[in-house]
C-alpha cells in the first residue's frame, strides 16, 4: 500500500468538490444492493469516466451507464487524472472512478477489488471530508489487518503486492473535517478496468 497524506491541498479539495457536485447533478448517488440477497449497502455511490462500478441482485460489474438514469457517466475531473499519475504512475489512464458517499454510520466490509480485467494497474483512492478508519490486511481474508485514518485530501494506492489486499472502512469519524456542508465522507477510487 502506498500512502500519500495531504496529496490534495485545501484549495484543490474545494475545487474538486465543486467539480464533483456538478457531476453528481448529472449522475446522482444511487444505493447499490448486494448480489443475491438484495440487501442495500450503507454507502451510496456514483461514478465518473467511461465505466462505472455497480452492484445489484445480478452481481458486481462495470457498465457505461448510470443504473437509474441510463445516461453515460460524467468525465473524470482533471485533478483526479493527475493524481492517478502522481500516486499510481501507471502507463494507461484510469477508465473508471467510483465515488462513495459515507454518511455517519456507513461502513464498507473487508473485500478485495478484483472486478477489473487489468489487475496490474493500481487502485488509487482519494478522500474528502470526515476521516475514515480504513482497514487493510493481506491477500487472504483471514490475514492480520491494521487500521489507520484517511483524512480529507489524503491519497492512497493499492499497488504492487497490495493490489489485491483485503480492505474496508470500519467507520467514519464525524466532525473531523469542515470541507463538506454536512458530516460524511466522499471517497474516490480510480481504476483501470480494461486491458490496454
Ligand atoms: C473501496 O474500497 O471501494 C472504498 C475504500 C474507501 O472508502 O476508502
Ligand atoms: Fe475496495
Amino acid at each position: 500500500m502506498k500512502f500519500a497524506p495531504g496529496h490534495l491541498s485545501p484549495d484543490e479539495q474545494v475545487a474538486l468538490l465543486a467539480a464533483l457536485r456538478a457531476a453528481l447533478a448529472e449522475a446522482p448517488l444511487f444505493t447499490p444492493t448486494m448480489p443475491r440477497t438484495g440487501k442495500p449497502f450503507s454507502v451510496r455511490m456514483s461514478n465518473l469516466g467511461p465505466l462505472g462500478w455497480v452492484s445489484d441482485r445480478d452481481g458486481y460489474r462495470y457498465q457505461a451507464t448510470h443504473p437509474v438514469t441510463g445516461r453515460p457517466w460524467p468525465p473524470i475531473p482533471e485533478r483526479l487524472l493527475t493524481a492517478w499519475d502522481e500516486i499510481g504512475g501507471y502507463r494507461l489512464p484510469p477508465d473508471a472512478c467510483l465515488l462513495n458517499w459515507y454518511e455517519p454510520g456507513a461502513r464498507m466490509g473487508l473485500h478485495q477489488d478484483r472486478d477489473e480485467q487489468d489487475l496490474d494497474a493500481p487502485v488509487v483512492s482519494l478522500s474528502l471530508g470526515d476521516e475514515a478508519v480504513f482497514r487493510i490486511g493481506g491477500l487472504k481474508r483471514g490475514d492480520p489487518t491494521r487500521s489507520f485514518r484517511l483524512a480529507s485530501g489524503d491519497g492512497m494506492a493499492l499497488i504492487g503486492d497490495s493490489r489485491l489486499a483485503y480492505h474496508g472502512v470500519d467507520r467514519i469519524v464525524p466532525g473531523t473535517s469542515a470541507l463538506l456542508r454536512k458530516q460524511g465522507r466522499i471517497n474516490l477510487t480510480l481504476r483501470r478496468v480494461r486491458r490496454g
Side-chain angles (χ1 to χ4, degrees), residues 43 45 53 98-102 107-109 111-113 123 125-127 132-135 150 156 158 167-169 172 185-189 191:
V43 173
M45 296 180 174
W53 189 87
L98 174 64
L99 185 156
N100 290 135
W101 166 248
Y102 295 79
R107 56 186 300 281
M108 190 175 291
H111 66 278
Q112 287 175 302
D113 284 12
V123 174
S125 134
L126 289 149
S127 296
V133 179
F134 181 80
R135 183 167 294 280
L150 288 175
M156 201 266 305
L158 297 176
H167 61 280
V169 171
I172 69 154
R185 168 178 184 257
I186 294 171
N187 173 257
L188 300 151
T189 44
R191 302 192 175 96

Side-chain angles (χ1 to χ4, degrees), residues 44-112:
R44 288 194 293 153
M45 296 180 174
S46 188
N47 288 276
L48 307 157
L51 292 173
W53 189 87
V54 301
S55 178
D56 59 22
R57 276 184 181 279
D58 298 334
Y60 307 132
R61 64 189 172 275
Y62 283 95
Q63 64 180 46
T65 54
H66 190 288
V68 179
T69 69
R71 297 179 56 197
W73 306 104
I76 300 174
E78 192 58 35
R79 185 64 188 94
L80 292 176
L81 297 175
T82 57
W84 168 267
D85 290 338
E86 291 159 353
I87 303 170
Y90 194 60
R91 65 188 170 86
L92 298 169
D95 56 8
C97 177
L98 174 64
L99 185 156
N100 290 135
W101 166 248
Y102 295 79
E103 275 170 3
R107 56 186 300 281
M108 190 175 291
L110 272 191
H111 66 278
Q112 287 175 302

Side-chain angles (χ1 to χ4, degrees), residues 26 112 118:
E26 263 183 74
Q112 287 175 302
D118 185 346

